[in-house]
Amino acid sequence: MSSHSVTPHSASNPDPGFDIQKVLDKGLELAAHSWEWGTAAEALLEFHNPELSVFGADPFPGDQLPKVDVEKVLSLVYARKFISTEGEGLCEGDGSTSDPSSLGPSALLLSYLPACRRQVRALLQHTPRLPSGAISHRATTPELWADFVYMAPPFLAHHAVATAEPSLLHEAIQQCLLYRDALQRTSPGTPFHGLWAHILAPDAGPEDQDPALWLTGNAWAAMGMARVLAVLRKWGPSRTWTTWQAALEDSIVAILQGAVKAQTGAGFPPAEPRAGLLRNYLDKEAASGDAAGTALLAAAVYRMAVLAPERVGREMVERADAWREAVSGCVRSEDGLVVPVANIVVWQERDVFWRGSSEGQSFVVMMVAAWRDYMGWKTAGGEGR
């Protein structure tokens, strides 16, 4: 690993209109599952140490992972509490092999390489696949969940850098595209074209399927692919992989554009209980507004506006600004709880959920970090490059 100095982020942060520290604290308090720990760690990293995030200017100095002073990186101090350096996976996955992978980028920065190798082996060798080659999100039955794209491919991409294995980065890309091919709604001329279904489980009953267009699933997929795209763009061996970069860009932009069309072109009235939010299910008029998924999709727009400004321009950023403002009105001032959000346990519910979720808290932090970084890029003349 190369040397890389780390200090907590100290640049001026734009005011999001709420106390971001309360949002962070509440998210850590609510976290209880593997994917919540990994998502919280990523939110902490992007907010406090953006130079270590894949969205930083030079996340792979010398085309290697940076060497860090762990005690100065809040994200890693937090993540290491949940990572097991023994066993097949990085932590207990509650029936999923991919969810523990969300802790993988943290584990790699912590230099837990043997544990990360075992997690890669669990994904690539011990998890069911569909005939297409798509790796199951679940450990024992072949099921494709849009959530997978945020959990596993970014970890495989990071691991490719850590071990100088371009083949792992290629696997990460292929998994993103295989999931897209299976889950994407291809209905040209409709307001839902380009959006993804939530769950495809060929061997399961109808109760285990979710063919509807879950907002959070689409946001997971868009941001997961954006993280893989950032690795492709910033790691030396893959900077010339322009065909794969374009394929990921197309897939991400299709989701972003699909969400806008679903909100503006489906003929639905504004979402309740708070206008301006995207619906928990984008194709269901009766579905309630969801601050969590709206926040993560806004974050994906800001990240893509920097990664691919020729594809995500001012009009899309203005849409993200509107989503961000709507989300800002959903943060409870007394404790930072973000509501209403999707019910992460009973995700089929169309109604609002008022108890909050750890992932929703993390999504809001990611949104603020992405907005701050976009504004910094714009101030430095990024739009005119």
Side-chain angles (χ1 to χ4, degrees):
M1 290 187 175
S2 64
S3 177
H4 191 85
S5 61
V6 178
T7 56
H9 183 66
S10 59
S12 176
N13 291 313
D15 181 9
F18 52 85
D19 188 334
I20 191 66
Q21 189 60 51
K22 286 184 178 179
V23 175
L24 266 169
D25 291 344
K26 180 59 72 171
L28 302 186
E29 174 191 325
L30 293 173
H33 303 92
S34 56
W35 80 89
E36 294 173 320
W37 300 328
T39 304
E42 179 64 22
L44 284 166
L45 192 72
E46 291 181 19
F47 186 75
H48 285 293
N49 294 95
E51 72 281 4
L52 294 178
S53 159
V54 292
F55 301 116
D58 184 24
F60 311 124
D63 288 329
Q64 302 174 62
L65 290 187
K67 184 177 181 180
V68 302
D69 183 342
V70 171
E71 301 305 324
K72 293 182 179 179
V73 182
L74 294 176
S75 170
L76 301 183
V77 171
Y78 170 79
R80 69 182 176 187
K81 297 184 294 184
F82 306 107
I83 296 172
S84 170
T85 56
E86 305 293 336
E88 186 175 81
L90 290 171
C91 67
E92 171 56 46
D94 298 312
S96 170
T97 312
S98 70
D99 282 343
S101 299
S102 64
L103 283 163
S106 298
L108 288 165
L109 287 174
L110 287 162
S111 298
Y112 296 163
L113 194 55
C116 290
R117 287 196 180 106
R118 288 193 293 273
Q119 181 66 47
V120 168
R121 190 160 53 245
L123 279 170
L124 300 187
Q125 299 178 18
H126 301 158
T127 304
R129 293 185 185 236
L130 270 71
S132 66
I135 300 170
S136 174
H137 179 64
R138 305 299 294 170
T140 58
T141 56
E143 299 182 21
L144 303 187
W145 295 42
D147 318 36
F148 170 96
V149 176
Y150 186 89
M151 310 302 163
F155 167 54
L156 293 174
H158 275 79
H159 204 288
V161 176
T163 58
E165 292 180 83
S167 61
L168 276 182
L169 180 53
H170 186 262
E171 181 73 46
I173 298 163
Q174 290 305 305
Q175 290 303 317
C176 291
L177 300 181
L178 288 169
Y179 265 71
R180 178 205 61 190
D181 292 347
L183 298 178
Q184 188 180 58
R185 178 82 60 85
T186 53
S187 307
T190 76
F192 307 116
H193 177 64
L195 293 168
W196 290 25
H198 181 205
I199 299 173
L200 173 66
D203 298 336
E207 69 280 1
D208 294 318
Q209 312 279 346
D210 190 14
L213 308 179
W214 191 43
L215 169 60
T216 299
N218 278 273
W220 280 129
M223 187 58 93
M225 288 188 287
R227 293 170 70 194
V228 175
L229 177 63
V231 175
L232 267 170
R233 287 282 182 84
K234 297 177 182 183
W235 188 41
S238 58
R239 287 194 188 107
T240 59
W241 297 10
T242 53
T243 299
W244 297 123
Q245 292 175 27
L248 289 177
E249 287 175 15
D250 289 345
S251 304
I252 299 164
V253 170
I255 290 174
L256 301 181
Q257 292 178 340
V260 172
K261 290 177 183 176
Q263 187 176 35
T264 61
F268 297 162
E272 296 291 344
R274 207 174 294 279
L277 295 178
L278 291 160
R279 282 174 164 75
N280 179 29
Y281 276 87
L282 291 159
D283 55 342
K284 305 295 181 184
E285 182 173 355
S288 301
D290 171 23
T294 302
L296 188 58
L297 213 60
V301 171
Y302 291 128
R303 294 304 187 189
M304 287 300 293
V306 176
L307 284 170
E310 69 284 357
R311 302 295 305 277
V312 177
R314 187 168 301 175
E315 185 176 346
M316 182 66 76
V317 171
E318 289 173 353
R319 177 64 56 177
D321 288 340
W323 293 338
R324 175 175 50 79
E325 290 170 5
V327 170
S328 296
C330 299
V331 181
R332 221 160 58 182
S333 59
E334 61 268 30
D335 60 1
L337 186 72
V338 178
V339 287
V341 298
N343 186 332
I344 62 170
V345 177
V346 187
W347 36 259
Q348 303 97 325
E349 285 192 358
R350 276 29 171 189
D351 294 332
V352 295
F353 188 65
W354 293 100
R355 293 201 294 273
S357 71
S358 176
E359 68 184 43
Q361 303 293 125
S362 294
F363 294 167
V364 171
V365 175
M366 290 178 184
M367 177 189 73
V368 172
W371 172 52
R372 174 202 64 202
D373 294 349
Y374 166 75
M375 293 299 290
W377 172 82
K378 181 180 175 182
T379 300
E383 279 189 320
R385 291 175 190 169

